[in-house]
Amino acid sequence: MSKETPCVAVCMIDPKTKLCFGCGRTLPEIARWHAMESAERLSVMALLPARMTDAGLAPIAGSPKRA
């Protein structure tokens, strides 16, 4: 069962922003990820680049996406 995911296997939460350094998700989003409907996952994923930019976090480029 494959699920869309922004995970780049850099699973560390920034204590200041409460966002994952690797993907920009919050802990509640990460915890619920596999229970989310595809449309909700895609909606969250669309927000992540701007969320990370606004938080001053640089996305990890070139890392493989995992299911």
Side-chain angles (χ1 to χ4, degrees):
M1 173 172 67
S2 178
K3 305 264 184 183
E4 301 92 349
T5 181
C7 181
V8 294
V10 178
C11 304
M12 292 178 49
I13 301 297
D14 176 37
K16 181 179 174 187
T17 64
K18 307 295 188 216
L19 300 175
C20 175
F21 281 111
C23 67
R25 292 179 293 171
T26 64
L27 279 175
E29 288 169 342
I30 292 167
R32 290 185 39 248
W33 196 255
H34 290 289
M36 290 180 181
E37 295 291 330
S38 179
E40 186 179 5
R41 287 192 303 272
L42 293 173
S43 176
V44 170
M45 287 176 24
L47 301 173
L48 297 178
R51 181 188 286 180
M52 290 189 72
T53 298
D54 292 347
L57 300 175
I60 307 298
S63 296
K65 294 196 180 204
R66 297 182 341 171

